[in-house]
Amino acid sequence: MSDSICKFMPAKSDNDNIKTINFVYESDFKSLRQPFFRAIYALHLVTKGTGTLKINSSVYPLKKGTAYFAFPGTLYEIEASNDFEYIYISFMGSYVVSLFEKLDITLSHPVYPDFGHMINFWKNSIKRVNQANANILTECALLYALSFINNSEEPGPEKKKDDLLGILVDYIDNHYKDADMSLNKIAANFSYTEKYLSHFFKKNMNIGFNSYLTNLRIQYACELIERDMTSVSQIASLCGYCDPLYFSRVFKKIMGVTPSDQIKKIHSDIEESTP
């Protein structure tokens, strides 16, 4: 009797892509500034120590072998032991939303405890990364980890959704810098009512449209400041804000400091670290 196995793969669309951005081994956790915020997705794998993840008023235990997701536009905090370390891969792409739906990965279920078997593989992978293999090796490490998230058969009808959420997220992620970006504009572009899109987005993303848009813009503002941009008016304009004063109020509400104070702090840190 033959032991051969043959399984046919489902057809794959040209749009089924994931782009990996960073592959990082973070061994100096205590030096990082919190709360954490990402404009794209990230999968983390705890390699040492213990802690707790606080996200959207929920608290999750973390220990060696725990995997957890960071979602775009969502603030989160981690309290951890002094020896806490992790590896993470950040990623984006048009396939992410539909893939997360298939695997039932949601903001209300961001933590997966049984991923200890991935630690050595990820450690060895990140050590092997070089300019020639970086993209394929990092994507391989990410997709291999995701393959263990859900081993169920084809999801039932209740899990099958159209690709509207993916279209919305992709559009927002590509146009959040536009000053005229609004839910009303999106509704008009895609022939939906504003009320329906508002409810649909909040239900499926666990965050309101305005909060998601604001978080993307403030994250980009932080990136511009990190790149040594010092004009608050210019930063505001590049982030989609016509009024610098309003931008400053929004920035302070989210980050706890004004953009001017953040600029001064960045420059102060640079001067202190310069020998």
Side-chain angles (χ1 to χ4, degrees):
M1 183 175 180
S2 174
D3 292 328
S4 299
I5 298 175
C6 177
K7 293 187 177 182
F8 290 96
M9 300 299 103
K12 187 176 181 181
S13 165
D14 290 337
N15 292 324
D16 287 357
N17 69 83
I18 290 181
K19 179 181 179 183
T20 52
I21 308 300
N22 301 107
F23 198 175
V24 178
Y25 196 136
E26 186 55 69
S27 60
D28 190 18
F29 172 76
K30 290 298 182 181
S31 68
L32 302 179
R33 288 182 292 186
Q34 299 202 54
F36 297 110
F37 175 89
R38 296 189 184 279
I40 57 177
Y41 296 92
L43 175 58
H44 304 70
L45 177 62
V46 180
T47 58
K48 188 177 182 182
T50 59
T52 56
L53 168 69
K54 297 180 179 180
I55 183 169
N56 276 9
S57 301
S58 296
V59 179
Y60 305 89
L62 302 176
K63 64 178 182 178
K64 182 178 178 180
T66 300
Y68 64 94
F69 287 92
F71 294 80
T74 304
L75 292 169
Y76 64 98
E77 296 180 80
I78 293 176
E79 292 185 1
S81 57
N82 290 329
D83 61 343
F84 190 71
E85 296 182 2
Y86 58 85
I87 307 175
Y88 74 86
I89 299 176
S90 60
F91 56 98
M92 60 190 297
S94 57
Y95 186 44
V96 175
V97 172
S98 59
L99 179 61
F100 275 30
E101 289 179 353
K102 291 177 182 177
L103 300 180
D104 199 23
I105 301 171
T106 65
L107 186 56
S108 59
H109 185 204
V111 175
Y112 296 81
D114 300 316
F115 273 73
H117 60 283
M118 293 297 305
I119 293 177
N120 286 336
F121 177 62
W122 272 32
K123 281 185 175 180
N124 292 331
S125 295
I126 198 170
K127 289 177 181 178
R128 291 183 52 223
V129 169
N130 57 48
Q131 189 172 1
N133 67 21
N135 289 331
I136 190 169
L137 186 55
T138 305
E139 183 175 332
C140 175
L142 172 65
L143 294 178
Y144 185 58
L146 290 176
S147 73
F148 287 94
I149 294 291
N150 190 317
N151 292 318
S152 62
E153 297 298 322
E154 185 71 17
E158 71 281 356
K159 288 186 179 290
K160 292 183 178 180
K161 301 177 182 178
D162 58 29
D163 59 356
L164 175 59
L165 184 61
I167 294 173
L168 290 177
V169 171
D170 186 62
Y171 184 86
I172 298 167
D173 289 353
N174 285 291
H175 294 85
Y176 69 88
K177 301 171 191 174
D178 298 348
D180 63 345
M181 165 61 76
S182 67
L183 193 59
N184 181 268
K185 179 181 179 180
I186 297 175
N189 285 346
F190 295 103
S191 301
Y192 286 93
T193 67
E194 185 176 350
K195 182 178 180 180
Y196 173 79
L197 287 187
S198 177
H199 175 74
F200 179 86
F201 192 90
K202 179 65 178 293
K203 178 181 178 181
N204 290 280
M205 292 291 288
N206 293 299
I207 184 174
F209 166 79
N210 288 330
S211 295
Y212 182 78
L213 175 63
T214 298
N215 287 338
L216 284 178
R217 287 174 166 176
I218 298 306
Q219 170 67 17
Y220 184 54
C222 291
E223 292 177 10
L224 293 176
I225 293 173
E226 293 281 355
R227 294 178 198 169
D228 207 27
M229 186 171 289
T230 58
S231 170
V232 174
S233 295
Q234 186 177 8
I235 294 171
S237 178
L238 290 173
C239 295
Y241 292 96
C242 298
D243 184 351
L245 294 177
Y246 176 70
F247 161 70
S248 295
R249 290 198 297 270
V250 174
F251 189 98
K252 183 175 182 179
K253 182 178 180 180
I254 292 179
M255 301 302 298
V257 295
T258 66
S260 297
D261 289 338
Q262 182 73 355
I263 291 169
K264 292 177 183 177
K265 185 179 187 306
I266 293 296
H267 279 270
S268 175
D269 291 343
I270 293 174
E271 291 176 359
E272 290 178 2
S273 63
T274 302

